[in-house]
Amino acid sequence: MKDETIIRLAGGWKGSEIVGRTLLEESVLCFLEDLSREIRSNPMTRNREDCAAFAFWCRRKHLESWKEALNDRESRLGWGMIFHIAPSNIPTLFAYSMVFGMLAGNGNVIRISSRVMEDSLPLCQMIEQVMQQKRYQDIYENTLLFTCERGDGCIETYTNLCDGRIIWGGDKAIEELRKIPVRPGVTELEFADRYSIAVIDTEWMKQRSEEELRQLSYQFYNDTFAMDQNACSSPRLIVWKGEDRKCFETWWEQCMETAKRYELSPWKVSRKYEEVCLNIMETDQIEKVRFYDNRIYVADLQECPRNPEQYDGRFGCFYQCIIQNLEELMPSLNRKIQTIEYAGVSPKELQDRIVEFGAKGGDRIVPLGQALSLDYMWDGINLIEHLSRVICTVERREN
């Protein structure tokens, strides 16, 4: 396909029909292992935390660990061509989405937002470099990474050609893209705005050593500041199980020390201050705001909110509340709630309470420090199984 309005960033797909392939094909696993190695060794990418994290994630050993968990893997084929529309808030998410499409046996056309093209370009160049190897010609010819403006007609063109579409983005972006419908029978996934929280037990926290607290705060930093809290899985609300305000203070003071590495621009400070001031004016639930330098703002809430997503925080702005037991948390887990991080709390008890209550949200329960660990299960959906189809055989049955 020739389209002068797009800027090709990697891949050589030209619009020909893509045939579905089996899951976790050997050539794909080899390609991703080579890509991981190239990213970790190339000066353009090896010192970038987001690229290094992707390289570690797409190692062959990690991806092969999913084999046993995928049902009917040998009887599945990819749909064909998957059109991915990546978000503008996380520059490397396009690459993760591409990998899921590849592992599910599909060819992949990925639109990268022009707003993050510059940040995404080094990783695109690594993908192109590895794809250009002769042994990966088939992958090269079944992949296209490009950028264009949101209202460009090429988005409609690729939508009309695809066998599946994945939209990563905010609610408004999804509403806009829904105006370009897919053909009947095309599989579609939409990942809209979500909100995440962390649940920490104060008694457990008080028993941590100074070194353990330092390590925990570093993990918390990676979950939040590393993405400016823009990732849907980055916690914004901290729910303390047990009331011990001295424990709160110790935790935030340690987090402030860890956050000194964070690049805090004047624009981020002004936006953060503006947002917390607006929340103070718009709700009567905020009792007090604590300022730990300009890097961390913590707003105390009177109770665990029924709609936590209204307390949006970025650039080191957090909200906190207190519960005495996990049952108090359940009414807050609406459809917007995605990830629940835990520290000192039983994940099995959390899971049991969610099931018993029938909560609409709380799809992921992960340890503190693993909020950004993208898995094949996301928002309650098995991505690889959803992006493939089962070839089902029914044998003749005698009456």
Side-chain angles (χ1 to χ4, degrees):
M1 170 182 292
K2 185 176 181 181
D3 194 329
E4 301 296 340
T5 64
I6 74 169
I7 300 174
R8 189 186 73 87
L9 303 175
W13 183 70
K14 294 181 173 62
S16 56
E17 185 175 354
I18 295 176
V19 177
R21 291 172 169 80
T22 54
L23 274 59
L24 279 72
E25 282 201 348
E26 179 65 20
S27 61
V28 170
L29 293 172
C30 289
F31 165 74
L32 294 173
E33 177 69 8
D34 286 350
L35 177 60
S36 173
R37 190 179 300 110
E38 181 63 30
I39 293 169
R40 284 178 284 165
S41 63
N42 195 289
M44 283 198 306
T45 49
R46 68 185 178 195
N47 295 323
R48 278 187 47 173
E49 289 186 6
D50 55 351
C51 292
F54 171 73
F56 186 76
W57 179 83
C58 72
R59 295 168 3 264
R60 182 188 184 109
K61 184 178 180 180
H62 173 235
L63 301 179
E64 283 189 329
S65 70
W66 296 348
K67 282 185 176 181
E68 292 184 6
L70 296 171
N71 297 324
D72 303 318
R73 185 170 56 87
E74 293 79 9
S75 303
R76 286 180 171 272
L77 289 175
W79 290 105
M81 188 270 270
I82 304 297
F83 182 29
H84 308 247
I85 301 176
S88 60
N89 61 333
I90 304 177
T92 57
L93 186 53
F94 77 90
Y96 291 90
S97 193
M98 177 191 73
V99 170
F100 285 124
M102 286 181 170
L103 294 176
N106 297 291
N108 301 275
V109 174
I110 302 105
R111 184 258 181 182
I112 298 171
S113 171
S114 57
R115 291 168 56 185
V116 293
M117 185 184 72
E118 186 174 343
D119 285 336
S120 303
L121 195 55
L123 186 51
C124 289
Q125 290 173 340
M126 294 299 98
I127 292 170
E128 173 79 357
Q129 183 174 316
V130 178
M131 277 185 182
Q132 287 280 12
Q133 297 179 31
K134 187 175 181 179
R135 59 176 171 163
Y136 298 130
Q137 183 177 354
D138 184 61
I139 293 176
Y140 179 78
E141 293 177 352
N142 285 276
T143 306
L144 176 66
L145 279 69
F146 73 96
T147 188
C148 70
E149 296 304 319
R150 181 180 291 179
D152 199 289
C154 66
I155 294 179
E156 184 171 2
T157 299
Y158 292 128
T159 296
N160 291 332
L161 290 171
C162 73
D163 302 292
R165 183 172 72 172
I166 303 179
I167 303 174
W168 303 83
D171 293 353
K172 291 182 179 179
I174 288 175
E175 287 176 6
E176 189 66 26
L177 288 164
R178 278 179 176 171
K179 297 175 183 177
I180 308 173
V182 295
R183 292 177 288 109
V186 168
T187 189
E188 186 166 30
L189 285 172
E190 296 174 348
F191 295 101
D193 289 331
R194 301 298 297 276
Y195 188 92
S196 297
I197 65 178
V199 182
I200 304 174
D201 185 271
T202 56
E203 289 301 315
W204 178 87
M205 183 67 79
K206 284 192 296 184
Q207 296 172 20
R208 300 309 99 195
S209 67
E210 186 176 334
E211 175 59 23
E212 286 174 321
L213 279 177
R214 189 185 70 81
Q215 288 295 327
L216 284 167
S217 70
Y218 179 75
Q219 292 168 348
F220 185 73
Y221 174 92
N222 288 338
D223 286 337
T224 53
F225 287 92
M227 292 290 180
D228 293 329
Q229 286 176 275
N230 280 326
C232 58
S233 55
S234 292
R236 296 169 173 85
L237 172 67
I238 312 304
V239 179
W240 296 98
K241 183 174 177 287
E243 187 169 358
D244 188 329
R245 296 194 178 276
K246 185 177 179 181
C247 177
F248 307 167
E249 290 295 324
T250 301
W251 170 249
W252 292 119
E253 286 170 4
Q254 178 60 64
C255 288
M256 185 184 70
E257 288 298 312
T258 306
K260 286 181 178 178
R261 71 184 69 196
Y262 182 55
E263 294 182 10
L264 187 64
S265 66
W267 181 83
K268 290 179 182 179
V269 173
S270 62
R271 288 293 297 161
K272 178 165 61 173
Y273 188 76
E274 178 187 9
E275 287 172 3
V276 77
C277 286
L278 285 172
N279 270 329
I280 291 171
M281 290 187 290
E282 292 172 356
T283 178
D284 58 0
Q285 290 297 307
I286 297 177
E287 292 182 327
K288 181 179 180 180
V289 180
R290 305 165 192 269
F291 298 91
Y292 296 85
D293 199 345
N294 260 336
R295 298 186 184 278
I296 296 179
Y297 297 170
V298 181
D300 294 340
L301 301 179
Q302 293 180 15
E303 59 186 6
C304 194
R306 290 298 182 98
N307 299 104
E309 66 276 7
Q310 67 182 301
Y311 299 105
D312 197 11
R314 290 187 298 163
F315 315 125
C317 180
F318 302 95
Y319 297 84
Q320 65 180 8
C321 64
I322 298 168
I323 60 173
Q324 300 304 325
N325 54 66
L326 294 180
E327 285 79 1
E328 294 177 46
L329 174 64
M330 295 303 110
S332 301
L333 303 184
N334 60 51
R335 187 66 190 93
K336 285 289 184 181
I337 308 303
Q338 184 207 65
T339 298
I340 304 174
E341 280 201 302
Y342 64 88
V345 176
S346 165
K348 180 63 166 59
E349 185 182 357
L350 259 175
Q351 183 183 47
D352 289 345
R353 295 293 174 270
I354 290 171
V355 173
E356 289 169 8
F357 187 81
K360 291 185 177 180
D363 304 320
R364 301 175 69 229
I365 301 172
V366 302
L368 191 73
Q370 295 186 23
L372 303 182
S373 299
L374 196 62
D375 200 33
Y376 64 88
M377 290 294 298
W378 196 254
D379 282 8
I381 299 169
N382 187 317
L383 295 177
I384 296 178
E385 290 188 354
H386 195 92
L387 294 175
S388 59
R389 60 192 180 96
V390 178
I391 312 304
C392 179
T393 302
V394 178
E395 296 182 359
R396 180 182 179 88
R397 296 174 182 170
E398 300 294 338
N399 293 330

